[in-house]
Every structure is written in C-alpha cells, then in structure tokens.
Amino acid sequence: MSVSSRSAVAIHALTMLGRWRDHSLTSAEIAESLASNPVLVRRILGSLRDAGLVWSTEGRNGGWSLARPAREITLHDAYTAVEAGPVLSRHPHPPSAECEVGRNMQALLEVEFRDAERAMEERLGRTTIAHLVQQVLAGERELAQRNH
C-alpha cells in the first residue's frame, strides 16, 4: 500500500491542535481548515488517538487535544499512526524467473525501497509538530508585515 493523503490530514490536524493548544478543537473546526469532511477527520483523529497522540473529551465543551506536547510529536509519529505498510509498493506478484531482469528485480528493489523508506522515516522523525506550528506563525507574521 502506498502513501495516501491520511498523513497530510493527520499532520494538518496535529498542527492545528498544537497551534491552539490552550483549548480543544472539534472535528468540524479541523475539517473546516482542511476544507474536508468531518467524518474523514474523525476517522484520522481516531487513529491518532489509538496511537496516543491526541485525546478527546465528550460533551458541550468537548473536542480534540494533543495528548503530548507538540515538541514530542514528530511527523513520523503521525505517519505511522495513520499509514499501513511500506511507502513504496512492491511487485504485486513474483516476476518471471525465466527472465534475467525478473529473477533479480525483487531483491534489487527491496534494498532500494527499504533504504528510501528508512531515509523518509529519519527525515520525518527530525521534524516536530511544534516546529510546524513555529513555521505557521512565522509565515503569518511575514504575511502581516507585507500587508502593512
């Protein structure tokens, strides 16, 4: 299974929760920022909750909040909470053993794909939700300065 948009939705939601960490947000508020469906957002938030990244409260003032400080949640944490399987799809069935390329391709691609996935995991593990919140705020300050 290859990467879907679930990672982007999860990271967006976590960044919103990190940005407004002083109060919880509803799935409708998060969905509005994503221009998406609240049902999809709730599904993603459920996976994030199962991974221990967010928690929810019921009732009138209920909503979603980060379960840990934003500086302790990496993009890799978000990715692994919502994606299943490797990033790069493998052969759907074994290639022909009668062909010199077919005989060798699975093993060659496995090494290349595994190395690429490790590099992605390492890179996503270096960036935290707190870092994204800082970048959002810096972008907003820059936008405000340009508009004045």
Side-chain angles (χ1 to χ4, degrees):
M1 175 188 220
S2 59
V3 177
S4 68
S5 62
R6 291 185 301 261
S7 293
V9 171
I11 291 166
H12 187 123
L14 289 167
T15 303
M16 282 194 70
L17 295 173
R19 168 63 181 94
W20 287 284
R21 64 185 175 273
D22 52 338
H23 65 279
S24 60
L25 298 176
T26 66
S27 54
E29 290 170 317
I30 296 167
E32 186 177 317
S33 175
L34 282 155
S36 184
N37 185 320
V39 174
L40 166 71
V41 172
R42 278 192 291 279
R43 203 172 300 136
I44 297 292
L45 289 167
S47 295
L48 294 173
R49 180 185 51 220
D50 294 345
L53 302 177
V54 300
W55 56 278
S56 63
T57 53
E58 301 290 326
R60 209 171 138 83
N61 295 319
W64 297 87
S65 302
L66 294 180
R68 308 192 314 233
R71 71 182 177 278
E72 295 178 13
I73 301 172
T74 67
L75 302 190
H76 185 256
D77 294 331
Y79 166 79
T80 58
V82 299
E83 300 292 351
V87 176
L88 300 167
S89 295
R90 293 351 189 227
H91 275 294
H93 52 80
S96 172
E98 303 303 312
C99 171
E100 62 186 32
V101 173
R103 279 192 297 275
N104 292 284
M105 194 50 55
Q106 276 187 297
L108 295 171
L109 285 180
E110 185 58 35
V111 170
E112 294 300 321
F113 286 5
R114 200 174 2 161
D115 287 351
E117 289 164 349
R118 277 195 204 115
M120 185 198 80
E121 291 170 8
E122 189 274 327
R123 178 63 186 94
L124 292 178
R126 287 194 318 238
T127 303
T128 66
I129 296 301
H131 182 76
L132 292 186
V133 169
Q134 290 169 350
Q135 288 181 304
V136 165
L137 295 174
E140 288 299 299
R141 281 191 301 272
E142 187 178 307
L143 182 63
Q145 288 174 348
R146 272 189 270 146
N147 291 334
H148 279 91

